[in-house]
Amino acid sequence: MEKPLTQHIPASGAPLHLKEYEAVGGYAALRKVLQELTPAEVTDKVKDANLKGRGGAGFSTGMKWSFVPAEATGPRYLICNADEMEPGTFKDRWLLEGNPHQLLEGMIIAAYAIQATQGFVFMRWAYKEAAQIMNQAIADAYAAGYLGKNILGKNYNLEMQLHTGVGRYMCGEETALLNSLEGKRAVPRAKPPFPQVSGLFGKPTIVNNVETLSYIPHIISKGGDWFKSLSYTADGGTKIYGVSGKVNKPGAWELPMGVTMRELLEEHAGGMKAGYRFRGALPGGASTDFLTDVHLDVKMDFAGVAAAGSRLGTGTMVILDDRTCPVGFVHNLEHFFAQESCGFCTPCREGLPWTEKILYALEQGQGTYADLEQLEMHTKLLGPGNTFCALAPGAMEPLQSALKYFREDFEQHIKEKKCPYADHTHR
Ligand SMILES: Cc1cc2nc3c(=O)[nH]c(=O)nc-3n(C[C@H](O)[C@H](O)[C@H](O)COP(=O)(O)O)c2cc1C
Ligand code: SF4
C-alpha cells in the first residue's frame, strides 16, 4: 500500500530535514515544473488527478486554481491553511512536523501555477514545535535556492513567510483567515467575490489545506492516473484518517481514500477499549453529523459519507462510546463552538450560547421536553443559509444528529431529572 505523504516521516517523529528530503527525491518535482511545464499545464495535471481539497469541503483543487485570472493583475498570493483547530483533528500537524519540505515544495509548485510571488503558511498559534520546524525549513529552502529570486536559476521569484495566528477556530475559515492576515478582525467576507479573484489585499489568492498541498509534488512526479489508482473509490489519492476516543490505539494513518469506518476503527485503531461499546462517531471532526453502527461499512470518501447523511470533513473520526453521555458530549462541543463564534451574525452569536445553556441544563437533570423543541428549532435557525459562514451550520451537525440517534438519552435526562451516566466511574 503506497503512502506518498507519510512514507518518509521518521518513526521517531523527528522532521525530515532538507538533505534527507532531497535524498528521497524531494524537490525533483519542482525542478521538473520549472524546466518543463507552463503554469497552465501544472494546473491541468492537478485537475486530471481529481485531487479534492482536504480542508473539509472537498472542492477540486485544480479547478480552484483555474479560477485565478490568467492575465497579470499585480501581486497574487498562495496561502497554506495550517490553522487546524477543529476538535478531534490532528492530521496536518503530523505533516507539518514530519515533512515540512514536502509541504513547501507543494506550495512553491502551487504558487508557480497561479504565478504568485508571495506565499504564507498560516499556522495555529499552539503548534509551537511545527512553527519552529517550518521556520527552519523555510530558511533551508531559501539557502538552497528553492525560494527567493530566480528559483533554481529560472525566471520565477517567490517569497515565503510563516504567520502564526491568534488561536481562534474562526481563523481557519478562509476569508476570516485573509482578514486576520491583513491585521483585521477575523470575521468572514461576503462571497462573491471569491478569494481566487479578490483575496488578500484584494488580490487573487488561493487558500489550500496542508494535506492538499503536500500531495502536489507527488502528483507532478507520478501523474494523475497513479494518484487516482491509490484510492478505493472515485475520489483520487490517499487520505490521512484519524480516530480518537475510547479505542485501543488512537492515532492517524495514511490510507487509500475510501476505507470503511469499520476498517479504521477495528484494524487501525485496534477496536474499542475493553469495557466500552461503540455507539457512534463524528466521521470528519467535530462539525460533522454522527453516524452509528449501521454505518460502519460506509466508505470514507466525500460521496460515501455524504450519502450516509454526514460529511467526510477532515476525515478524523471522534468516537462516542456507551459510557459517555451523548448530551454531555454534545454540550462540550457546543461550548467550544459558542466560544469560537466570531459574533458577526446574530443567529450564531446568540444561538450558540443558547444551545449550550439548554444542553447544560439537560445534562444537569433540569431540562424539559420544551427544551428539546428549542434545540430542534436552533438546528434549523442556525442551519445552512441562515448565517454568514459555515461555523454555525457545522456546529449544528453533531447536535441535530444526536437528537436523531440518541433521543432516548435526552429524554431519559428529563424523565429521571439527572444524567443517567453520572454514576459511571469511567466517564
Ligand atoms: C469555521 C471554519 C474553520 C475552518 N478551519 C480550517 C482549517 O483549520 N484548515 C483548513 O484547511 N480549512 C479550514 N476550513 C475550510 C477553509 O475555509 C477552506 O475551505 C480550506 O482551507 C480550503 O482548502 P482546500 O481546498 O485544500 O480544502 C474551515 C472552515 C470553517 C467554516
Ligand atoms: S456563523 Fe458564527 S462564526 Fe460565522 S460569521 Fe456568523 S457569527 Fe461569525
Side-chain angles (χ1 to χ4, degrees), residues 198-417:
S198 175
L200 192 66
F201 302 110
K203 299 296 174 192
T205 302
I206 288 293
V207 182
N208 274 135
N209 171 258
V210 172
E211 186 185 344
T212 312
L213 289 162
S214 296
Y215 284 113
I216 303 299
H218 304 286
I219 290 172
I220 297 298
S221 294
K222 296 189 174 164
D225 288 340
W226 164 83
F227 187 73
K228 282 186 262 192
S229 76
L230 298 178
S231 166
Y232 287 154
T233 64
D235 293 335
T238 57
K239 170 85 194 83
I240 301 199
Y241 294 101
V243 178
S244 60
K246 298 283 179 359
V247 291
N248 285 310
K249 291 186 292 175
W253 310 270
E254 182 180 7
L255 298 167
M257 173 70 93
V259 293
T260 61
M261 283 176 66
R262 188 185 300 284
E263 180 183 331
L264 266 178
L265 175 66
E266 290 174 4
E267 286 184 33
H268 304 285
M272 298 300 290
K273 274 188 179 169
Y276 292 91
R277 195 172 53 80
F278 174 88
R279 276 201 85 191
L282 305 171
S287 60
T288 58
D289 280 274
F290 277 103
L291 295 180
T292 66
D293 49 2
V294 301
H295 301 114
L296 280 172
D297 292 313
V298 161
K299 288 187 170 48
M300 292 272 287
D301 71 354
F302 292 100
V305 183
S310 186
R311 289 186 304 113
L312 179 63
T314 59
T316 46
M317 290 209 300
V318 185
I319 307 288
L320 172 71
D321 62 84
D322 64 335
R323 290 187 178 192
T324 301
C325 173
V327 179
F329 187 102
V330 177
H331 169 252
N332 189 295
L333 294 176
E334 298 310 332
H335 172 71
F336 170 82
F337 290 123
Q339 174 184 292
E340 295 301 325
S341 165
C342 80
F344 200 44
C345 58
T346 311
C348 173
R349 184 183 61 241
E350 304 299 327
L352 284 178
W354 194 347
T355 54
E356 186 201 344
K357 270 190 196 144
I358 296 173
L359 287 163
Y360 181 75
L362 277 164
E363 212 210 353
Q364 296 298 308
Q366 292 160 3
T368 63
Y369 286 96
D371 287 336
L372 298 187
E373 282 169 34
Q374 280 283 348
L375 287 177
E376 296 278 10
M377 184 189 77
H378 275 91
T379 62
K380 312 264 172 335
L381 291 178
L382 275 68
N386 292 334
T387 60
F388 209 75
C389 86
L391 187 145
M396 289 301 99
E397 291 185 21
L399 175 60
Q400 70 196 10
S401 47
L403 286 166
K404 175 171 158 196
Y405 294 121
F406 312 120
R407 195 163 190 102
E408 72 277 17
D409 290 87
F410 285 82
E411 292 179 351
Q412 212 178 339
H413 282 75
I414 299 167
K415 278 189 222 136
E416 296 181 9
K417 296 196 182 323

Side-chain angles (χ1 to χ4, degrees), residues 28-231:
L30 175 64
R31 220 172 276 281
K32 173 174 168 174
V33 161
L34 294 181
Q35 280 169 1
E36 298 173 18
L37 301 175
T38 63
E41 284 168 340
V42 175
T43 300
D44 284 345
K45 280 190 179 296
V46 175
K47 243 192 230 168
D48 290 347
N50 195 22
L51 170 63
K52 292 184 176 169
R54 305 299 201 239
F59 192 78
S60 158
T61 305
M63 191 82 84
K64 193 193 256 191
W65 296 2
S66 70
F67 295 150
V68 172
E71 66 280 8
T73 49
R76 41 187 68 191
Y77 302 98
L78 186 275
I79 299 174
C80 169
N81 190 343
D83 197 54
E84 196 162 65
M85 269 191 68
E86 177 90 357
T89 299
F90 43 87
K91 67 181 184 72
D92 294 339
R93 181 179 180 182
W94 188 17
L95 299 174
L96 291 162
E97 291 181 359
N99 203 343
H101 284 285
Q102 174 175 254
L103 171 61
L104 278 181
E105 186 179 7
M107 287 184 71
I108 303 166
I109 295 170
Y112 172 80
I114 62 159
Q115 289 292 287
T117 50
Q118 175 72 56
F120 291 98
V121 180
F122 188 102
M123 194 182 287
R124 176 180 178 176
W125 72 279
Y127 281 7
K128 308 277 186 220
E129 202 177 330
Q132 207 181 348
I133 290 166
M134 188 50 67
N135 266 330
Q136 184 62 53
I138 291 173
D140 291 346
Y142 267 106
Y146 297 126
L147 284 171
K149 299 260 177 295
N150 299 321
I151 295 174
L152 294 175
K154 299 288 168 192
N155 185 23
Y156 178 58
N157 308 330
L158 178 68
E159 304 299 330
M160 185 68 67
Q161 196 180 323
L162 171 73
H163 176 93
T164 45
V166 291
R168 303 314 307 233
Y169 177 52
M170 195 52 213
C171 290
E173 195 283 335
E174 62 180 4
T175 60
L177 183 156
L178 297 176
N179 279 340
S180 172
L181 206 49
E182 288 183 14
K184 296 178 183 151
R185 180 176 160 196
V187 292
R189 296 177 179 178
K191 291 192 259 189
F194 288 90
Q196 296 90 306
V197 177
S198 175
L200 192 66
F201 302 110
K203 299 296 174 192
T205 302
I206 288 293
V207 182
N208 274 135
N209 171 258
V210 172
E211 186 185 344
T212 312
L213 289 162
S214 296
Y215 284 113
I216 303 299
H218 304 286
I219 290 172
I220 297 298
S221 294
K222 296 189 174 164
D225 288 340
W226 164 83
F227 187 73
K228 282 186 262 192
S229 76
L230 298 178
S231 166

